[in-house]
Amino acid sequence: MIAVTGSNGQFGGELCRRLGEAAIGLDLPDFDLTDADGVRQRLSELRPEAIIHAAAYTAVDRAEDEPDRCFAVNVAGTATLAEVARQLGCPLVYISTDYVFGGDATDSEPHREEDAVFPQGVYARSKYEGELRAGAWEKHYIVRTCGLYGRLGPCSPGNFVETMIRLGKQGRPLRVVDDQWCTPSYVPHVAAAVLYLLQSGMYGTFHVVNGGATTWYRFAREIFRQLALDVKIEPITTAEYGAKAPRPAFSVLDTSKYHRFADAPALPHWKDALKEYLQERERGMR
Ligand SMILES: NC(=O)c1ccc[n+]([C@@H]2O[C@H](COP(=O)([O-])OP(=O)(O)OC[C@H]3O[C@@H](n4cnc5c(N)ncnc54)[C@H](OP(=O)(O)O)[C@@H]3O)[C@@H](O)[C@H]2O)c1
């Protein structure tokens, strides 16, 4: 049995659907990462074969005002899971983020796993510190991914594709950031890759994102093109958008380490992944 934290969320929910009866989903309110004793007790009772840690404090902008809460969940919570995984001798998979790579847009080569990190902002720093805690247990996988979109969980805050569709249908012109380069990724593709890595026994850090690179503006334009929605959309800069937390200007991830596994699940180009999501959506996924 595999314990999946964040099972009501976008990513953990998909893992649980894929694993079926092999999964034990853990999430708030019954399972709170900030309650270390409760976490220890629950996992010691369950004695899972592996822990996939997909729960996180994910409100990137709110984290700037709630650093203690963000660190309690993302850092201390991960440390507790690493301690329990060590006691049980089981692998721990930590889902991390492209946000560990801050820097500026003068970067132009996709980041490799061993590249120096530069996390900017509370959320990014907490996720990186979480990586260090997870990595303290030797049987760890750290999987960095980016811009996830997939079926939403009951409490999920939403995803970029759904937000664009909702705003686009309101008929007002949209202004979307065009100076952050990354690779939005489709949850089922990343989830399949995570489950593959878990059975590989090859511990370490992996970058797992769809292929290619884009900006949020270009991604939004492609969403509307594929849906044949006529939406006026204007590119703006990160500074014009004015979000509270900093965002990486270039966080494209190099996936060649993952692709060394000849039989690993495919990570299609982001445009094809988007098409798959929109088709699933059309079929009534939600
Ligand atoms: N979404 C992205 O674009 C993205 C990109 C790169 C990496 N990631 C990483 O991928 C993972 C999954 O993201 P996601 O999109 O699935 O996020 P999500 O939909 O926000 O799911 C996160 C889940 O964690 C739960 N959680 C929050 N605080 C908790 C606590 N104290 N104890 C136990 N559970 C708690 C949340 O519950 P509540 O909803 O009730 O708070 C939620 O169900 C996270 O580690 C995130 O950092 C996400």
Side-chain angles (χ1 to χ4, degrees):
M1 183 261 297
I2 296 177
V4 177
T5 72
S7 54
N8 291 337
Q10 195 176 208
F11 194 72
E14 176 66 22
L15 288 170
C16 288
R17 279 189 292 280
R18 279 174 182 259
L19 287 164
E21 288 182 355
I24 285 278
L26 303 168
D27 209 315
L28 290 170
D30 308 330
F31 179 86
D32 183 348
L33 284 160
T34 64
D35 170 14
D37 287 340
V39 168
R40 286 186 196 106
Q41 191 182 334
R42 185 75 198 280
L43 286 165
S44 314
E45 285 160 13
L46 290 171
R47 305 195 67 78
E49 294 152 43
I51 302 170
I52 308 183
H53 179 25
Y57 180 112
T58 54
V60 175
D61 291 313
R62 189 157 21 103
E64 297 297 310
D65 296 321
E66 291 187 338
D68 293 348
R69 169 94 194 142
C70 178
F71 270 65
V73 178
N74 293 353
V75 185
T78 304
T80 309
L81 292 180
E83 170 203 315
V84 173
R86 183 191 294 274
Q87 275 162 8
L88 296 174
C90 76
L92 172 66
V93 184
Y94 174 74
I95 309 301
S96 192
T97 170
D98 60 314
Y99 277 38
V100 301
F101 296 109
D104 57 41
T106 58
D107 291 346
S108 57
E109 286 301 311
H111 299 283
R112 299 170 70 103
E113 286 79 355
E114 63 276 17
D115 285 354
V117 298
F118 189 44
Q120 300 288 292
V122 172
Y123 169 77
R125 286 200 301 274
S126 75
K127 290 296 294 183
Y128 178 61
E129 292 271 329
E131 285 191 1
L132 299 178
R133 301 305 186 278
W137 163 228
E138 70 182 81
K139 291 187 181 178
H140 71 268
Y141 301 88
I142 292 168
V143 178
R144 295 184 184 137
T145 188
C146 168
L148 293 176
Y149 61 93
R151 194 194 296 195
L152 296 176
C155 312
S156 293
N159 65 46
F160 182 82
V161 183
E162 294 304 320
T163 302
M164 285 301 112
I165 294 172
R166 180 169 46 79
L167 295 177
K169 285 185 173 166
Q170 288 172 2
R172 279 178 302 190
L174 299 183
R175 302 169 81 230
V176 183
V177 170
D178 192 32
D179 59 358
Q180 291 170 23
W181 287 88
C182 64
T183 311
S185 295
Y186 183 35
V187 164
H189 296 162
V190 179
V194 163
L195 295 179
Y196 174 86
L197 287 171
L198 180 57
Q199 58 75 44
S200 75
M202 299 289 284
Y203 301 115
T205 301
F206 294 88
H207 289 173
V208 176
V209 288
N210 282 122
T214 187
T215 67
W216 297 109
Y217 164 74
R218 286 154 214 241
F219 188 45
R221 243 183 19 193
E222 181 64 14
I223 295 167
F224 298 135
R225 191 193 68 76
Q226 289 196 18
L227 288 172
L229 279 178
D230 183 18
V231 179
K232 281 204 171 41
I233 171 165
E234 181 195 339
I236 58 167
T237 63
T238 300
E240 283 172 301
Y241 186 71
K244 187 146 196 169
R247 304 290 198 279
F250 185 89
S251 58
V252 181
L253 302 181
D254 181 320
T255 55
S256 44
K257 181 175 176 190
Y258 171 79
H259 282 109
R260 270 185 230 144
F261 295 100
D263 58 344
L267 293 171
H269 189 274
W270 66 266
K271 285 189 187 176
D272 298 323
L274 173 63
K275 190 170 169 193
E276 216 178 292
Y277 175 70
L278 295 176
Q279 282 170 347
E280 282 294 309
R281 196 177 178 274
E282 185 68 25
R283 280 190 218 114
M285 180 177 93
R286 65 202 58 247

